[in-house]
Amino acid sequence: MKNMNKFAAAALSFAIAAVSTGCSAPGAPTIGNGTKNAATIDGYEVPAGVFIAFELGAYDNAVNQYIASTSAMPTPDDVKKFHIEGTDSSTWIQDQATEQCRQFVAIEKEFEKINASLTDEEEDQIEDGLKSLSQTIRDYYENNGVGEESLKKIAAFEFKVNHVFEHYYGIDAPNGCSEEDLKQYYLDNNARVKYIEIKTADSQGNKYDEDTIHDLEKMADSYVKQINAEKDNDSKLAKMDELKEEYTEYAAAITTTVSGQTTAATTTTTTTTTTTTDATATTTTTDPHANEKIIAKIATTTAAAGSESISTEPVEKTDSEKAAENFDTKIFGSDMPLYKAEKYQYDDNTIYVIIKADLEERMNADDLWTEEFMDALIQQRYSSAFADWIDDIAKNYSLEKNKSAYKRYEPFKLELEQE
């Protein structure tokens, strides 16, 4: 299944709780007619079972907040006494569940508005998913007032999110972009590189002696010259692989004395191979892209998604963050041409011999540019905008809470014990 940020999390809240909860809840109330629906949102009656399922998911989030704050695993009584964002946990949980109900209704209404329908395959996945729930989990939900139909509605919600998203934000959709624009977005925010990571210290950060470091510096310079001496781009990439293997063998032989002990410096390399065998021969084909990396550009936005303000206070970056940002500037800067190897000092203990290749060459259906990849990429590009759009729709809906249902299904009246 595809995932759409908080909407997917909401849709699968019952599954999250199912993983972490293993107790049955004997004696929990059955939904009566007066509390059959928890709220009416823009004329849509939200079943109490859907609301309760969202409450259980919100309770799970409250537990995580408690753990993050105290580093301890709480009991339900602990969570009940806990305050989140200046609000008592019971109110916070119901507020979270209410907001998820608003989003649920927004998706339901948009799904209907675009005349969408679930596919047979999606219907089958929903049925199979519900059938796979253990009896213990079923009892847990049923005893808390969440029946089969409510679980089915929530499971269907995720699929409906994707249908609505694709309609408004997919390829050539009103708020989306063309395939060519999506390709350019990917090219602008990613780079294709190969590099040899040469370490001038052991795995504990102890620097090698000056002679060894000098030899490693000369090795890096030699590698750059050898790669750039190749006549074509494919040969340069192949040479990079050859030298990477050479360095791996050399690094394994380097020793340094640390606290009176001799320690071997080691490094690893990955080679992907495909082997086919018949009665007469065995053929091994090396993946030409096995040692390549696709590096994503570091986001420049410092505020979290959905935050109302951006702090102007300077934040002191760690050495590793500074190194990563400097490397990002190097890779995506205009002064690094394609297919020209360079020596780059990444940090105090690391030298890169690096080459930047043409990413667009790999953007075809037989390599990177598959339907699945495009789906994931367009969600990455527009999921935040889509979430904001749904929130804007949902927050303007009229809300009429069923006070009896909210009181009857207060979070800590539910069975929340976890094994």
Side-chain angles (χ1 to χ4, degrees):
M1 296 183 185
K2 300 172 186 175
N3 290 312
M4 286 300 302
N5 293 345
K6 60 186 176 183
F7 298 110
L12 296 178
S13 60
F14 73 95
I16 294 171
V19 171
S20 61
T21 307
C23 301
S24 59
T30 302
I31 295 175
N33 287 335
T35 53
K36 182 178 180 180
N37 295 312
T40 301
I41 299 176
D42 199 49
Y44 183 101
E45 294 185 340
V46 179
V50 169
F51 174 71
I52 294 167
F54 286 147
E55 278 192 305
L56 295 174
Y59 171 78
D60 197 60
N61 289 335
V63 169
N64 291 333
Q65 297 257 14
Y66 184 97
I67 294 171
S69 176
T70 66
S71 300
M73 181 62 70
T75 65
D77 282 342
D78 292 330
V79 180
K80 185 176 182 179
K81 298 172 186 175
F82 189 57
H83 279 64
I84 305 172
E85 298 171 357
T87 305
D88 67 273
S89 58
S90 183
T91 301
W92 186 87
I93 289 169
Q94 287 204 327
D95 286 347
Q96 292 290 305
T98 302
E99 289 308 303
Q100 289 188 339
C101 285
R102 283 182 176 275
Q103 294 161 5
F104 175 85
V105 172
I107 292 296
E108 289 286 333
K109 284 181 169 289
E110 289 298 327
F111 186 79
E112 182 179 350
K113 181 178 177 180
I114 64 176
N115 295 316
S117 59
L118 299 181
T119 66
D120 291 342
E121 182 182 0
E122 289 167 341
E123 295 279 11
D124 289 342
Q125 287 188 51
I126 292 168
E127 292 294 335
D128 291 344
L130 294 177
K131 287 177 183 177
S132 69
L133 295 177
S134 70
Q135 190 58 50
T136 300
I137 293 170
R138 285 181 176 278
D139 289 344
Y140 169 76
Y141 282 105
E142 288 175 5
N143 290 330
N144 268 318
V146 184
E148 185 86 3
E149 285 304 309
S150 291
L151 289 177
K152 186 178 292 187
K153 284 180 180 293
I154 297 171
F157 176 62
E158 182 185 3
F159 290 106
K160 292 181 178 181
V161 166
N162 287 312
H163 281 281
V164 174
F165 175 84
E166 288 171 5
H167 181 86
Y168 289 108
Y169 287 87
I171 298 290
D172 295 327
N175 300 323
C177 65
S178 67
E179 184 176 343
E180 286 305 310
D181 286 339
L182 189 64
K183 280 187 176 181
Q184 192 59 51
Y185 167 79
Y186 185 66
L187 290 170
D188 289 343
N189 290 281
N190 295 272
R192 173 190 171 196
V193 301
K194 276 191 175 186
Y195 58 84
I196 303 170
E197 184 182 60
I198 298 176
K199 304 299 291 186
T200 57
D202 65 17
S203 57
Q204 282 75 45
N206 301 298
K207 297 286 285 188
Y208 297 143
D209 61 78
E210 291 184 7
D211 288 342
T212 300
I213 293 175
H214 178 68
D215 289 343
L216 290 168
E217 292 275 4
K218 287 175 62 179
M219 177 182 285
D221 292 333
S222 172
Y223 284 177
V224 169
K225 290 180 181 179
Q226 290 181 63
I227 294 165
N228 289 333
E230 296 293 328
K231 294 181 179 180
D232 59 66
N233 296 336
D234 289 341
S235 297
K236 289 179 180 180
L237 296 178
K239 190 66 174 180
M240 175 73 82
D241 290 339
E242 176 188 325
L243 295 174
K244 185 181 180 79
E245 185 175 348
E246 177 184 302
Y247 170 72
T248 299
E249 293 176 359
Y250 178 85
I254 297 176
T255 58
T256 185
T257 302
V258 182
S259 301
Q261 295 182 343
T262 299
T263 306
T266 60
T267 187
T268 59
T269 186
T270 302
T271 301
T272 302
T273 60
T274 303
T275 303
T276 58
T277 305
D278 59 23
T280 59
T282 299
T283 302
T284 301
T285 303
T286 302
D287 180 358
H289 307 302
N291 292 321
E292 291 186 4
K293 304 285 186 183
I294 305 296
I295 298 177
K297 193 173 186 178
I298 296 175
T300 56
T301 303
T302 57
S307 63
E308 294 181 358
S309 62
I310 299 175
S311 173
T312 57
E313 292 294 323
V315 178
E316 183 64 31
K317 293 182 174 64
T318 64
D319 289 343
S320 61
E321 289 173 332
K322 291 175 183 177
E325 288 189 357
N326 290 337
F327 185 61
D328 185 77
T329 300
K330 174 65 177 177
I331 293 300
F332 291 96
S334 58
D335 62 338
M336 188 171 186
L338 297 179
Y339 297 107
K340 182 180 179 181
E342 296 187 26
K343 176 183 171 183
Y344 177 79
Q345 187 76 42
Y346 183 81
D347 58 28
D348 289 343
N349 298 332
T350 311
I351 301 168
Y352 281 167
V353 174
I354 188 163
I355 192 167
K356 185 176 177 181
D358 188 351
L359 178 57
E360 195 166 9
E361 287 180 356
R362 295 192 56 185
M363 294 174 66
N364 57 75
D366 294 325
D367 192 356
L368 291 178
W369 206 247
T370 63
E371 290 292 332
E372 293 78 9
F373 185 83
M374 284 189 283
D375 286 345
L377 184 61
I378 203 156
Q379 288 187 22
Q380 173 189 308
R381 183 176 187 181
Y382 291 115
S383 60
S384 180
F386 175 69
D388 290 342
W389 178 66
I390 289 295
D391 276 343
D392 285 341
I393 293 173
K395 72 183 181 183
N396 290 315
Y397 282 159
S398 62
L399 168 67
E400 183 181 349
K401 294 180 180 178
N402 182 340
K403 294 181 180 178
S404 296
Y406 269 69
K407 183 176 181 179
R408 185 172 190 175
Y409 304 115
E410 288 177 355
F412 297 99
K413 289 183 180 179
L414 302 174
E415 293 292 336
L416 301 171
E417 290 294 340
Q418 300 183 26
E419 290 184 347

